[in-house]
Amino acid sequence: MYTQIEQLRANNISSEHLQISRNHLAIESQLKVSRQVLETLEDFVCICNYEGKILYLNSAGRKLIGLSGSEKITHYKCTKFLSKKILNLFAEIDFSNVGESEFWQGESSLLRNDGEEIPVNVSLLLNRSNYGTIEGFSIIAKDRRCQLELEAEKQDIKAKNKRILTAIPDLIFRINQAGVFLDYFPGADQENIFLSTKVKGEKIEEVLSEDLAQWTRYYLEQSLATGEVQQGEFMLQGKEYWQYYEARYIPCDRQEVVVIIRDLTERKRSEAAQRVAEAREREKALQLEQTLQQLQSTQYQLIQAEKLSSLGQMSAGIAHEINNPLTFISVNLSFAQKYLEDLLKLVEVYQQEYSEKSAVVKECIAEIELDYLKKDLPSLMSSMEMGANRIRDIIKSMRNFSRLDEAEKKKVDLHDGLESTLLILQHRLKAKVGFPGIKVIKEYGDLPLVECYAGLMNQVFLNLLSNGIDSLEENCQEQKLAENKQPTIWIRTEKVGQGVRVKIVDNGEGIPLEIQEKIFAPGYTTKPIGKGTGMGLCISHSIVVDKHKGLLVCNSNSGRGAEFVVEIPQITGREKLLKQ
């Protein structure tokens, strides 16, 4: 390098001026640079003559290469602290083509006194005299250690971020406003949703399917326009089943968006499986509930059947035990009445034949009140006969109500069942203290014989009439009925089409609409604890609907009484054949 500089100097000035101007130009070159300014710089600044001797080295330069501020540098050449890289850089320079303003830059290193090599950015500038001759060169170097550390740290962070991004199961990429992929990080264990393996630098229309590209373009524009995160879900056909994805568009600025795509397939399938499982559990719970209700209903029916059976057996026993003395009484009453008539006739004959009575006879006639006895005794015998007939009717009604001997369907007169039920409930219909009694109005139509389970139908009538009586009694106790309003139950029967209809209506408070939907449910009751099981209407509904394929409904308005309608269909001849 020094030889090249000397040759240039020889070409630019004559030999007679060389020695004169050498020292002068060196001084003049040094004066061109203000020492005060150079000392304030943090970069390495070194000025050398054409032989490579150091003419000036600023404080930052001394510190960088490990020289003290007092140590002289005039005996040093720049080769002492220039690395081979810088020397090679000098060697490559063609000084014959150097212009006045040209300089060279590059990355190299400086050598400290202790042998440490310091990486630097180096600039080489040729120093010229006023005559244009090259008198030396200046070296400006910037310590690159912090920069390299930052770059290494940045590369480390970048590598870590890349490892993190590649480990995330979500697919992440950046796209700009034009829809061009800036970065692409495929999610771990996620199928490639792109049509092309080349992604970075491509447009979304070149990488995604047409529908998905339009979908992505829409959310990209929305995200950039609003500056808010946009979110949506889409589906793609997989190898075995549909894949579900969630995409989030996060605007970084007005120019680009980060897109995070998460595979929701497993979650969706899990949720679907969970919904199916929950539906099955609900179905099982519903089946269990229905089974429990059926068991409760069956249990109550068995209890009621047992009660009816016991009632029938008791009725049969009572009838059997009472029939004998009742028959004896009934038979002997006719004889006793004839005997009494004969005796009274004899008394009349005695009175006619022996009109003169002794004092003893007169006293006896007065004592027994013979005239009143003759009038009252026939009435007494009639009352006794009426009482015996009443007992016979009660026993017959009890047997008709229980229908102990009728386990199968038979053609019966429903009016008989209604009458038997009313007779059983007669004691509840009568007036008593604080209760005016219940008036029963029968509006019977012309009904045919109905094929049904007579005992079960009587149980239905008993439940419906009992509920009506309970309602009227409760209304009277709570004074909900007007003082001039007589508690009344209407029983209406009529033939409808191929069946019969029985209506049991009361003029009580009625049943609210929200309760009407629950009254046939098992266990539901509005009565106080201990007064109702909540199974009466449920059993009645089961008997009418399930046993007889009929209809049992409630029509009621609050404050206007309640109406229960029972419809029993008749079995046609064709249905009988099919049934057989």
Side-chain angles (χ1 to χ4, degrees), residues 47-65:
I47 301 175
C48 303
N49 63 13
Y50 72 94
E51 293 178 348
K53 289 184 179 180
I54 298 176
L55 303 178
Y56 169 77
L57 180 63
N58 67 348
S59 299
R62 287 175 177 270
K63 184 178 179 180
L64 185 61
I65 62 176

Side-chain angles (χ1 to χ4, degrees), residues 190-372:
Q190 181 169 283
E191 286 191 11
N192 184 18
I193 67 172
F194 300 112
L195 300 177
S196 172
T197 56
K198 183 183 178 183
V199 176
K200 193 172 181 180
E202 300 289 338
K203 283 193 172 183
I204 55 177
E205 287 79 9
E206 299 171 340
V207 174
L208 304 177
S209 64
E210 182 179 356
D211 293 341
L212 187 55
Q214 292 178 357
W215 191 82
T216 303
R217 177 73 68 176
Y218 169 79
Y219 280 100
L220 169 64
E221 293 173 354
Q222 289 293 315
S223 179
L224 291 175
T226 62
E228 298 178 353
V229 176
Q230 301 294 319
Q231 181 175 337
E233 294 185 6
F234 62 92
M235 294 188 304
L236 293 177
Q237 178 65 55
K239 295 179 181 178
E240 299 179 359
Y241 41 77
W242 284 94
Q243 302 281 343
Y244 296 85
Y245 296 94
E246 175 192 74
R248 294 191 179 188
Y249 295 77
I250 307 168
C252 297
D253 49 38
R254 293 294 181 180
Q255 300 296 326
E256 64 181 55
V257 169
V258 174
V259 183
I260 302 175
I261 297 181
R262 176 166 296 179
D263 191 344
L264 303 180
T265 305
E266 291 301 321
R267 193 182 81 183
K268 292 284 187 181
R269 296 182 69 188
S270 177
E271 290 175 353
Q274 184 176 358
R275 287 195 296 269
V276 172
E278 289 176 354
R280 289 176 179 172
E281 291 300 323
R282 285 195 297 270
E283 184 178 357
K284 288 181 181 178
L286 181 60
Q287 291 177 352
L288 289 174
E289 184 178 357
Q290 291 175 348
T291 302
L292 178 60
Q293 292 176 356
Q294 291 174 358
L295 289 174
Q296 290 176 342
S297 176
T298 304
Q299 181 184 18
Y300 189 76
Q301 289 186 40
L302 290 174
I303 293 173
Q304 292 297 101
E306 184 63 26
K307 287 181 179 179
L308 288 175
S309 177
S310 300
L311 179 61
Q313 292 176 0
M314 182 181 67
S315 299
I318 292 173
H320 179 73
E321 293 297 328
I322 293 178
N323 267 337
N324 288 334
L326 183 62
T327 303
F328 174 77
I329 293 172
S330 299
V331 171
N332 287 308
L333 276 175
S334 60
F335 291 105
Q337 187 172 4
K338 187 174 183 306
Y339 294 159
L340 286 174
E341 290 175 355
D342 292 342
L343 288 174
L344 290 175
K345 184 178 180 181
L346 177 62
V347 170
E348 289 178 357
V349 171
Y350 265 95
Q351 285 180 335
Q352 293 174 2
E353 293 295 329
Y354 300 97
S355 58
E356 295 296 333
K357 305 177 183 66
S358 63
V360 176
V361 173
K362 289 180 179 181
E363 184 179 357
C364 181
I365 290 174
E367 183 179 354
I368 65 174
E369 298 179 356
L370 181 61
D371 291 337
Y372 176 77

